[in-house]
Amino acid sequence: MASWKHKNIEIDGRLVEAQAPIIISASRSTDIPAFYADWFFYRLEKGYSAWTNPFNGVKSYVSYDETRFVVFWSKNPRPLLEHLHKLEERNIKCYIQYTLNDYEKEHLEKVPSLEKRIETFKLLVERLGKGSVVWRFDPMILTDDISVDTLLSKVQNIGDQLKGYTEKLVFSYADIALYKKVKSNLEKSGIPYHEWTEELMEIFAQRLSSMNKEREWNYTLATCGEKIDINKYGIAHNRCIDGDLITRLAWDDPVLMDFMKVKIEDAPVPSLFGDAELPQGAIHLPHNKYFISAHKKDAGQRELCCCMAAKDIGEYNTCPHFCEYCYANTSKQSVARNYNCHQQNPNSETITGK
C-alpha cells in the first residue's frame, strides 16, 4: 500500500485525520462518473470525502489537498464532460478507463445505447486527447447465446468505430467460479453462463490479435488480472492504473513526477550523422523529452493486478448499472437502497449519503 501523507482536516469544528493521496482511483468499486460525478466534484470543492472500509466497516477520510491525478473508471462517463474544467483549474490531470461493451441484445447491463456510448467516447477523446481514454471490453462473458465468434463480432464492430480514437484495448475473461456472489447473481437472474477454458482463451486471443492486425487498428492489446500468458499473440498484462501513462499525460507536473520518482530527461540532440540513440526502455515525450519507466506495482492489490498505488474512493453496493456479472454488488436490492439514500443526501461526505 502507498504511504500517503496524512493531515488534519476540520469537520464541523473538530479536527479529523485524513489520508491525502496524490493519485485517486474513481473507482473500481462503483461508477462514479456515471452516477456520482456531481457528488465527486462537490466533494473536491469541499476538499475531502469519507470512505467506509468494506472489510471492517470503519469510516475514514480522504483529503484532496495533495491530489494531482485521477483515474476514472466508467461505462458511461458522459457526465464528466461538464466538469473537466474543474480539474484543469486545480492542475489535476486524468485519464478514463472506459468500459465499452456490447451486451445490448442480451440485456446484461443497464447502460445507454451503444451508439450513444461510442459518441461519448469520441467526445471525451476530442476533449482530453487520444491517450486519455482507454477502451475496455470487460469482461468477455460466454453464455448459451454468446460464443467466441459472437464476442469477436462485437469487438470488431466497436473496434472499427474507435479506430484512431484510442491506443489500447483491455479485456478480461469472466472468471465466474472465482467470485461466489457473481455466480449467485447470474444464477438468480437465470443467465446461462459458461466458464472459459484455457483452450478457448487461447483461441480468442489468437483471433483477436489477428483481427487487430488485419483491420489495421494497431491497438495495444492487454488483459486485466489474467493468469494466462498470451504474450505470444502480442497481448500483455495490463496496468490499469499505469505509472507510464500517468507520466506521459502529466510529465510537466514536477510535484507528481517527484512523488512517482520519475526523472524527465532532455533527449540528445541529433548529430549530422543521424538521430542520437536514447537509452534502452526510454519513452518519448513532447518537447524532445523522455523518461525511463519507474512504474511500481501496488503490493496491496491482488497478485495478478499490475496497477500502481492509488487511493480508491468508491464503495461497493452503489452501482445502479446492475450488470448481471458485477463483482462489486452483493444484490440489486442493496444497491437500490444505497442509491436512494444518496439521492436524498447527494452532497453527503460519503457516496451512500450515510
Side-chain angles (χ1 to χ4, degrees), residues 45-194:
E45 178 67 28
K46 295 291 287 185
Y48 79 96
S49 64
W51 174 81
T52 304
N53 188 307
F55 302 106
N56 59 23
V58 174
K59 187 177 182 179
S60 60
Y61 291 88
V62 179
S63 166
Y64 298 115
D65 285 355
E66 305 288 333
T67 300
R68 314 291 291 193
F69 204 97
V70 182
V71 178
F72 290 108
W73 311 64
S74 185
K75 292 187 174 181
N76 178 29
R78 198 178 189 96
L80 287 180
L81 286 166
E82 64 180 275
H83 292 292
L84 290 173
H85 69 280
K86 298 173 186 176
L87 295 180
E88 294 165 353
E89 290 165 1
R90 294 172 175 268
N91 195 31
I92 297 174
K93 293 186 173 64
C94 72
Y95 67 79
I96 302 167
Q97 295 276 350
Y98 192 157
T99 300
L100 185 54
N101 302 335
D102 177 11
Y103 294 125
E104 284 189 324
K105 179 181 176 182
E106 297 81 11
H107 306 292
L108 297 182
E109 307 168 328
K110 294 191 186 314
V111 291
S113 70
L114 180 60
E115 180 183 10
K116 188 75 170 178
R117 285 179 287 137
I118 289 175
E119 178 187 75
T120 295
F121 196 106
K122 293 179 178 180
L123 287 172
L124 286 164
V125 172
E126 290 166 3
R127 182 69 174 78
L128 294 171
K130 180 178 176 180
S132 297
V133 189
V134 178
W135 174 29
R136 302 175 72 91
F137 199 124
D138 181 24
M140 298 288 178
I141 187 168
L142 297 172
T143 71
D144 283 357
D145 301 313
I146 305 174
S147 64
V148 167
D149 285 343
T150 308
L151 286 172
L152 288 166
S153 176
K154 292 174 183 290
V155 171
Q156 179 177 310
N157 176 41
I158 299 174
D160 285 346
Q161 295 184 70
L162 294 186
K163 183 177 179 180
Y165 282 91
T166 191
E167 300 174 344
K168 181 182 280 189
L169 165 57
V170 180
F171 67 96
S172 70
Y173 300 109
D175 193 349
I176 297 161
L178 186 64
Y179 298 99
K180 291 181 180 179
K181 59 184 173 183
V182 175
K183 183 174 184 294
S184 174
N185 288 336
L186 285 170
E187 289 172 351
K188 286 177 184 176
S189 297
I191 307 297
Y193 67 86
H194 298 180

Side-chain angles (χ1 to χ4, degrees), residues 245-259:
L245 179 55
I246 291 172
T247 301
R248 286 176 51 207
L249 298 174
W251 63 271
D252 55 350
D253 183 337
V255 174
L256 182 58
M257 293 302 100
D258 182 64
F259 168 77

Side-chain angles (χ1 to χ4, degrees), residues 29 181 185 316-320 322 326-331 334-335:
S29 304
K181 59 184 173 183
N185 288 336
Y316 292 130
N317 292 313
T318 59
C319 185
F322 295 121
C326 181
Y327 69 90
N329 291 340
T330 302
S331 70
S334 61
V335 173

